[in-house]
Amino acid sequence: MGNICTKFGGLQIKSPIIVGSNSQTASVSKLVEFEKAGAGAVVLKSLFEESITREVAANDIDMHPEAYDYLAGYLGEKVLSDYLDLIKQAKAQCSIPVIASIACHTDGKWEEFATRIEEAGADALELNVMSLCTARNYTPGDFEKMHEDIVANVSSRIRIPVIVKIGSNLSNPVALCDRLYAKGAKAVVLFNRFYPTDIDVDKIAFTTGNPFTCAADLSLPLRWAGLVSSAVPAVDLAVSGGVDSWKGVVKSILSGASAVEVASPIIRGGASWISEANDGLEKWQQEKGYESVNDYKGKLNAAEPENADKLMRTQFLKYFSEVH
Ligand SMILES: Cc1cc2nc3c(=O)[nH]c(=O)nc-3n(C[C@H](O)[C@H](O)[C@H](O)COP(=O)(O)O)c2cc1C
């Protein structure tokens, strides 16, 4: 069989398929299944900033500010210690890298959490920084600067690789990835996914949209992987969003990603999706005469002017006259 090992954020992984953070990666028995099916690594369900604030809010009674601080600290500690247990159990049961994840949208006290996560044995820490910036008095660039500050603060405190998962609602992911790398990020995941909202027209009310992606969603991360990998080759990339078969894995690597972080098809199809995608990838590599992932990684990224033209194209212009 071919060699599909790769390196992502300083981690040596036996397959570019990483199970992205999702509800199933909070279960150690699922993690074991994913490893058996051939996953290169797993990202644990995120520790959410909101979980901590919600715990505090749920216990909120009219109290003295110092008592409030004490309670907030206690509840934060409870949420964190449950998460540290998950890391320890995952590390005890799995031999593939276990990546912890913090989902944050403010520059909170993540340094302390990150240190504890490192001590619990996580192989890397993924910071999922995502927020909708809607304030009218917002200064463009503030949100990007917050990413940099969080990464700088966390990476100065821990030695395990720091991976940053960014949202697609950023003006220039190339510049941001460059800065995040300068602040200590070893890898960036393109992109996180917003919780989907929808509207029920019968009830005339909001409802939850489809939580899962489809193959068409791959277009956006592919474009940015192609642009970022050529401009900032030092930072490793993972594509996340719309990788629905081995072809999506190949496309991501051709665009310059080292790995993919996959959730929807694994939640829908089970761990066997991973072994099928690994098989498809190996077969394709053999047919094309490639010996390793590095042989074709970035082959279609923006380093070639011809590819850059394709990746930079934003308007449909002649689409309808060309195709129809
Ligand atoms: C049900 C569900 C739960 C998720 N939970 C998290 C999470 O806790 N943290 C996170 O960083 N991403 C989370 N994600 C996002 C996935 O890790 C992934 O980045 C995204 O779904 C795109 O990959 P996909 O196209 O394979 O679904 C979640 C996705 C789904 C569908």
Side-chain angles (χ1 to χ4, degrees), residues 22 193 210-214 242-243 261-270:
N22 75 78
R193 178 170 156 72
N210 181 358
F212 302 124
T213 56
C214 64
V243 173
E261 287 193 5
V262 182
S264 298
I266 298 173
I267 300 173
R268 280 189 307 219

Side-chain angles (χ1 to χ4, degrees), residues 20-23 45-46 48 101 126 128 165 191-193 211-213 240-243 261-265 267:
S21 180
N22 75 78
S23 21
K45 175 75 186 156
S46 299
F48 280 86
S101 164
E126 188 169 288
N128 159 351
K165 188 177 198 185
F191 292 105
N192 198 6
R193 178 170 156 72
F212 302 124
T213 56
S240 192
V243 173
E261 287 193 5
V262 182
S264 298
I267 300 173

